[in-house]
Amino acid sequence: MTAPVRQAGVFAALCTLSLAVPLAGPRVGAAVAGIVLLGAYVITDGPLFDLLAYPGDYEDSRLYGLITFVLAAVALGLMATAASMPVAVFVGTILLVGYGNLGEQLVRLRTDGPVVRVVGFCLTAAVAAVAGQAITRSLAGDAVISALPIMVFLAASGAFLAALLRDMLLRSDDPIVVLSVGLLLWLLAELQPTIGTTELLIALAVTVALGYTSYALETASIAGMLTGVLLVLLTTVLGGYGWFAVLVSFFAIGGLSTKFRYEEKTELGVAEDNNGARGSGNVLGNAAVALVAVLGYAASDAGLLPHEPELFLFAFTGSIATAMSDTLSSEIGSVFDRPRLITTLKPVEPGTDGGVTWQGELAGIVGAAIVAIIATGLFPEVSGGGATIIVAAGIAGMTVDSLLGATLEGSVLGNQGVNFLATLSGALVSVLLVVTFVLG
């Protein structure tokens, strides 16, 4: 057994101590955490220190990694005992991170392939999270079998988020992972989504298959794949298959458009880096507003927000129409006529922020129309007038993207920031038009 595996095993064992809260109560759990913290503070060298230490801990001979991890767990424990976070979410989160790390280290004994390591982490983390939730619910006398779909949904969502954060951060940043996963699962638990076992299994199978396909086709990096999988899973469970179809249409068509005349775009210097594989920042920049709209829809549908659910539906489709329009206009328009700056209409070099071509604008309009057609076919709330609103929102968002590119990108905003503000603009335009012409 290698040192990383031994260390991961010890951390997993320490994470198992979180069961003290449902077994013996918060006071015993706090006492256990205090003992672990005291031990982490007084151990400054020797074999046990070497077993538990992260590389950065050696500088000050202090187990900062373990200390911060326990403090993060204590913070979640306080939310579970003093706020409305379910204790099952707290235990599931701690076990998810601890055992997921152990699963990844065990996989590393056989292979160092990035996808296999991610799969090892996610599977082990999800199983541990489900087990932690089930044990906690059983000890509290709550139903376990009937709650299995929601437990699996929470576990899978947390595993994907944890794997994403670990890919983006350092392994010693597990406290950040613990807090982020715990807060996400708390939010999802509050939304109380209703989903059957079959529907959940289908959603998981489809999202994982699409995620791996995007990575295999080199349209997404590991982080981009994980981000997309998490977004698609949340969208499918909280929104439904119609929302899933709209979101996936953007990922599929947008990803393929990146490959359109890629060699020519490379020669012009306007091609996406990493052979066109999009990272988490690009995916979130284009889909973060859509995710917020999905969460808003679920919260409104559950009675947690005093707004009409269909407003969030139009915000969602307006943001996706913007993302589709902007992606197609950039990826297709960049290989045609010399672009002109949108603010002055003067010719500029290919790849200049804010540069547009008529071919790109036409492709963007087609992209918004595709989203509108899909939405019209899937959502009764979207009639002919609704489709027009979605197209108008997509065009407006695409134009905002170009204007921001010509004025603020590079000096004030990065590409992801521009994408986020553009999709936000598309969502707001869509909602305003619905309020004015449909609900008004």
Side-chain angles (χ1 to χ4, degrees), residues 148-158 188 193 200 233-234 237-238:
L148 188 59
I150 183 64
M151 289 193 297
V152 173
F153 168 60
L154 294 177
S157 300
L188 296 180
L200 177 60
L233 177 62
L234 295 180
V237 173
L238 299 180

Side-chain angles (χ1 to χ4, degrees), residues 71-372:
L71 289 176
V74 169
L76 283 188
L78 289 174
M79 296 178 197
T81 56
S84 62
M85 174 184 284
V87 176
V89 167
F90 160 69
V91 174
T93 298
I94 302 302
L95 296 184
L96 183 153
V97 176
Y99 281 90
N101 181 44
L102 177 59
E104 180 181 357
Q105 294 304 323
L106 290 173
V107 168
R108 281 181 179 269
L109 295 176
R110 296 298 186 95
T111 177
D112 202 36
V115 173
V116 181
R117 286 192 288 106
V118 167
V119 171
F121 176 88
C122 289
L123 284 177
T124 312
V127 170
V130 171
Q133 293 177 82
I135 293 172
T136 303
R137 294 180 67 90
S138 177
L139 291 172
D142 297 331
V144 174
I145 300 300
S146 60
L148 188 59
I150 183 64
M151 289 193 297
V152 173
F153 168 60
L154 294 177
S157 300
F160 291 141
L161 177 60
L164 170 62
L165 292 175
R166 287 167 63 87
D167 183 79
M168 298 171 60
L169 303 171
L170 297 174
R171 184 166 161 263
S172 56
D173 288 328
D174 276 342
I176 298 175
V177 178
V178 167
L179 291 173
S180 300
V181 171
L183 292 174
L184 172 67
L185 299 194
W186 185 10
L187 170 62
L188 296 180
E190 289 292 325
L191 294 177
Q192 299 180 342
T194 55
I195 184 171
T197 303
T198 302
E199 291 82 356
L200 177 60
L201 292 177
I202 292 174
L204 283 171
V206 172
T207 53
V208 171
L210 289 173
Y212 179 74
T213 300
S214 68
Y215 177 78
L217 295 176
E218 297 184 336
T219 59
S221 63
I222 289 288
M225 174 189 71
L226 289 169
T227 305
V229 166
L230 178 60
L231 290 175
V232 171
L233 177 62
L234 295 180
T235 299
T236 304
V237 173
L238 299 180
Y241 291 115
W243 296 62
F244 159 81
V246 173
L247 182 62
V248 168
S249 70
F250 161 64
F251 284 143
I253 297 174
L256 292 176
S257 70
T258 303
K259 302 295 185 181
F260 175 72
R261 294 167 65 169
Y262 187 81
E263 293 77 10
E264 186 174 343
K265 286 187 281 191
T266 300
E267 294 177 0
L268 292 172
V270 297
E272 289 282 340
D273 296 332
N274 301 319
N275 200 31
R278 297 179 181 272
S280 58
N282 189 284
V283 175
L284 284 175
N286 282 297
V289 174
L291 176 60
V292 172
V294 172
L295 294 173
Y297 174 83
S300 179
D301 198 42
L304 300 178
L305 289 178
H307 298 289
E308 293 293 331
E310 78 174 41
L311 290 180
F312 294 101
L313 171 61
F314 276 94
F316 175 82
T317 52
S319 69
I320 296 298
T322 297
M324 183 83 86
S325 297
D326 175 55
T327 299
L328 294 188
S329 66
S330 299
E331 296 295 343
I332 294 178
S334 61
V335 297
F336 288 102
D337 292 345
R338 188 175 183 182
R340 295 177 179 273
L341 196 64
I342 190 172
T343 53
T344 64
L345 298 182
K346 293 181 179 179
V348 292
E349 292 298 320
T352 301
D353 296 329
V356 298
T357 64
W358 71 265
Q359 294 95 337
E361 295 296 294
L362 179 60
I365 295 173
V366 171
I370 291 173
V371 175

